[in-house]
Amino acid sequence: QQPVQSPQAVILREGEDAVINCSSSKALYSVHWYRQKHGEAPVFLMILLKGGEQKGHEKISASFNEKKQQSSLYLTASQLSYSGTYFCGTGGRKNNDMRFGAGTRLTVKP
Amino acid sequence: NAGVTQTPKFRILKIGQSMTLQCTQDMNHNYMYWYRQDPGMGLKLIYYSVGAGITDKGEVPNGYNVSRSTTEDFPLRLELAAPSQTSVYFCASSVTGVSSYEQYFGPGTRLTVT
C-alpha cells in the first residue's frame, strides 16, 4: 500500500517554513525523500533508517517515528529552488517492498 | 560519469505494437529498477534486478518483461502496447538493497500509446 502524504500542495513565500508528512499503514524499515522538478527525474534528498537519527542537510531535515510509522520533512527558510514535488518512499525489508506516496507539490514564490 | 541513461526520451506507439526501453548505468551498481509514473501520482515499481541474470517482479509487472545480461544494462520490453501503459518510465540503480541506499534515477522515457 502506498504511503499517504500531506498536504497535497503548499504555496510559500521565500523565507517561510514548510512541513510535509508521510504516513504508512505498514511497519517501516526505511523512509526515503526525493524532490522532482517538472519534467525531470526524482533527485535523492535523504534516507532515514529504522533506529536511525533525525537527519538534516542545510535547511532541509527529516524525522522518522517508527512507532507511528510516520516521517516528516522540514524545509526552513525556503528558497525559490525548493519548488518541486516531494515524494516519500517507504521501504520494507524486501527489495520489492518500496512504495512511493503521491507527492506534495511545493511552490515557493518571491 | 554519466550515471543512469535512458533511451528514447519520447515515444508514441500504436495499440498492439511492441518496443524496448533502454537503460544503462555506469556506476557499477548491482541493483536496477524500472518504475512507471502516471500523471499526478507517485512511482510504481515494475521490475527490479539484483544482479546480472537475476530479475524479479515489482508491484505492477503485467504487460512488461525485463532481462539483465550485464551489470550495466537493464532493458524493459513492452509487448502488445495498451493505452493503460501510457506513462513516464524511470529506470534507477542503487549500490545494494533499495531499502537502505539511495536510488539514482535516469531522465525518464515519456511513452504514449494511442
Side-chain angles (χ1 to χ4, degrees):
Chain A
Q1 275 154 327
Q2 269 64 34
V4 177
Q5 286 186 235
S6 62
Q8 290 183 315
V10 59
I11 299 174
L12 301 173
R13 293 285 180 190
E14 266 187 301
E16 292 181 339
D17 301 340
V19 179
I20 299 172
N21 300 303
C22 175
S23 63
S24 174
S25 59
K26 294 172 58 176
L28 299 178
Y29 183 78
S30 66
V31 178
H32 299 223
W33 286 98
Y34 290 82
R35 177 171 60 210
Q36 184 179 31
K37 302 232 180 224
H38 183 69
E40 298 181 7
V43 174
F44 175 78
L45 293 175
M46 64 187 75
I47 181 173
L48 299 100
L49 302 178
K50 186 177 179 180
E53 303 171 352
Q54 178 167 341
K55 289 200 170 183
H57 176 68
E58 296 182 348
K59 296 177 182 177
I60 300 176
S61 62
S63 63
F64 180 15
N65 186 323
E66 298 164 36
K67 287 186 178 179
K68 291 186 177 180
Q69 296 162 194
Q70 293 176 345
S71 177
S72 294
L73 185 72
Y74 306 93
L75 300 100
T76 58
S78 58
Q79 306 168 14
L80 294 176
S81 62
Y82 286 6
S83 292
T85 300
Y86 289 77
F87 292 98
C88 70
T90 55
R93 289 192 173 273
K94 299 179 182 178
N95 289 307
N96 60 357
D97 281 347
M98 192 76 177
R99 297 290 184 268
F100 284 89
T104 295
R105 178 172 290 184
L106 180 78
T107 304
V108 181
K109 295 188 173 182
Chain B
N1 197 342
V4 180
T5 57
Q6 292 181 237
T7 56
K9 288 188 178 180
F10 304 94
R11 184 71 186 268
I12 298 174
L13 281 182
K14 293 189 183 301
I15 294 171
Q17 287 185 322
S18 301
M19 75 165 294
T20 299
L21 282 66
Q22 302 292 343
C23 175
T24 300
Q25 54 94 7
D26 62 0
M27 296 174 283
N28 202 33
H29 287 171
N30 286 322
Y31 286 63
M32 295 187 74
Y33 315 87
W34 273 105
Y35 292 94
R36 61 175 288 171
Q37 184 177 36
D38 298 329
M41 303 295 289
L43 299 155
K44 293 196 174 182
L45 183 64
I46 304 171
Y47 271 95
Y48 71 97
S49 169
V50 302
I54 306 170
T55 62
D56 204 351
K57 296 178 181 178
E59 188 183 0
V60 289
N62 292 340
Y64 307 95
N65 276 301
V66 293
S67 60
R68 183 104 180 263
S69 57
T70 66
T71 300
E72 295 79 19
D73 301 310
F74 190 40
L76 177 71
R77 178 81 177 164
L78 278 74
E79 304 282 2
L80 299 175
S84 61
Q85 293 178 304
T86 293
S87 190
V88 180
Y89 292 84
F90 288 102
C91 178
S93 71
S94 63
V95 171
T96 182
V98 67
S99 282
S100 304
Y101 287 85
E102 69 179 279
Q103 296 179 78
Y104 295 82
F105 285 85
T109 294
R110 188 175 295 272
L111 176 68
T112 302
V113 182
T114 62

